[in-house]
Amino acid sequence: MVLNILKRVSFLKGMSGKEIRHILAIARERRCKAGEIIFLKEAIGNNFFIVKSGRVKIFTSVGTEKKKTFAFLKKGDFFGEMSLLGGKVRSASAQAVEPTELLVISRRNFKELILKNADFTLKLMHMLVKRLHSANQDVESMLFHNILGRLAEAILGLSKDKHSSPIKIAINQNELAQYMGTTRVPVCRAINTLKRSRVIDYKRGQLIVLNAARLKSIAGAG
Ligand code: CMP
């Protein structure tokens, strides 16, 4: 069952059953309740995690008010590699957004995987490059785009793994503001602008993309 999940949806897609079974053999499981903090920024990193089920938020906070969500991770995604690869302490905090099951791999086993399994290492690097690319886009968006363009880009980012038509995203306005690294009021105004022009609909914590082409053009022009 877990083998199938990892084979199908995770960054390990394409690895042989034998290799994935080895990863499962060296991992232990951790169950988290909704809202549970998995680790905090600046803590010493000792483990690497793969999400078996549920959803994990990666975020940072400055003071008590300012929060920035870097990513929402889902089944098959990984996290916790940065401190094991050099940073030592956690570069961000991780929290289970809903009941979540994790596969936990110790620092020693993670290093052994990297050294002995070139396929695993390449897949890890591939994901790190994707994350760097998305972080660069985030910086560009924050520096050069207006709030409407940033909102459009954030919605496109959150839509990436959704396959429903129309695309539906369950997210409240606070979460969306934190994902964009800003506050709720300007985001609320920008949502209303996109709603008025029928680019999106937003009701009771659910955002629906009505016009994806227009959204892309706003993200590009913002
Ligand atoms: P680490 O620094 O050990 O702990 C925090 C983890 O959050 C980090 O490893 C990465 O796995 C993950 N992380 C940090 N920044 C991002 C990002 N921009 N996108 C996705 N995951 C991230």
Side-chain angles (χ1 to χ4, degrees):
M1 155 85 170
V2 189
L3 182 78
N4 285 339
I5 293 174
L6 293 179
K7 261 183 148 170
R8 262 187 300 116
V9 300
S10 76
F11 74 105
L12 301 175
K13 207 167 165 177
M15 275 178 73
S16 73
K18 188 176 163 222
E19 284 171 321
I20 294 183
R21 265 193 293 275
H22 172 65
I23 291 174
L24 288 175
I26 59 171
R28 66 181 170 83
E29 295 203 15
R30 174 171 166 186
R31 280 167 197 269
C32 304
K33 297 190 184 100
E36 185 174 328
I37 295 288
I38 299 161
F39 55 71
L40 285 172
K41 185 177 168 178
E42 306 291 352
I44 301 282
N46 286 317
N47 295 303
F48 171 77
F49 301 86
I50 300 172
V51 183
K52 185 177 153 194
S53 68
R55 206 155 68 106
V56 172
K57 180 165 88 169
I58 302 292
F59 69 100
T60 188
S61 31
V62 178
T64 49
E65 296 279 294
K66 291 185 183 153
K67 281 197 175 157
K68 161 76 180 146
T69 300
F70 292 127
F72 287 105
L73 305 179
K74 52 169 193 352
K75 182 163 75 179
D77 289 336
F78 68 83
F79 61 100
E81 77 295 344
M82 286 170 64
S83 52
L84 303 189
L85 290 171
K88 265 200 169 161
V89 296
R90 299 294 188 192
S91 60
S93 303
Q95 181 180 30
V97 180
E98 53 192 62
T100 293
E101 292 175 298
L102 302 169
L103 297 172
V104 187
I105 295 176
S106 69
R107 172 189 286 271
R108 196 167 63 88
N109 283 333
F110 175 70
K111 288 219 162 140
E112 207 172 297
L113 263 181
I114 288 194
L115 292 174
K116 296 206 173 141
N117 192 328
D119 238 16
F120 174 84
T121 311
L122 268 178
K123 286 178 189 297
L124 193 79
M125 285 172 75
H126 176 77
M127 282 309 297
L128 293 180
V129 168
K130 267 176 99 170
R131 283 182 186 171
L132 180 61
H133 184 67
S134 139
N136 284 353
Q137 272 185 325
D138 240 29
V139 173
E140 189 180 305
S141 170
M142 280 187 181
L143 286 175
F144 304 125
H145 288 190
N146 62 32
I147 188 78
L148 214 56
R150 283 171 60 189
L151 174 61
E153 212 158 76
I155 296 170
L156 289 174
L158 290 164
S159 308
K160 259 182 205 148
D161 304 309
K162 310 260 183 236
H163 303 293
S164 66
S165 178
I167 286 169
K168 293 180 182 170
I169 302 161
I171 191 161
N172 67 39
Q173 289 188 7
N174 270 327
E175 280 177 332
L176 195 53
Q178 284 172 17
Y179 187 72
M180 292 168 59
T182 184
T183 48
R184 206 181 64 82
V185 174
V187 173
C188 179
R189 280 198 205 112
I191 286 176
N192 286 333
T193 307
L194 291 186
K195 267 175 83 173
R196 274 195 303 275
S197 44
R198 307 280 304 143
V199 177
I200 62 164
D201 197 9
Y202 186 78
K203 274 189 280 220
R204 282 171 251 113
Q206 175 150 273
L207 194 153
I208 304 171
V209 178
L210 301 177
N211 188 338
R214 181 88 188 96
L215 197 64
K216 280 184 193 143
S217 117
I218 294 169

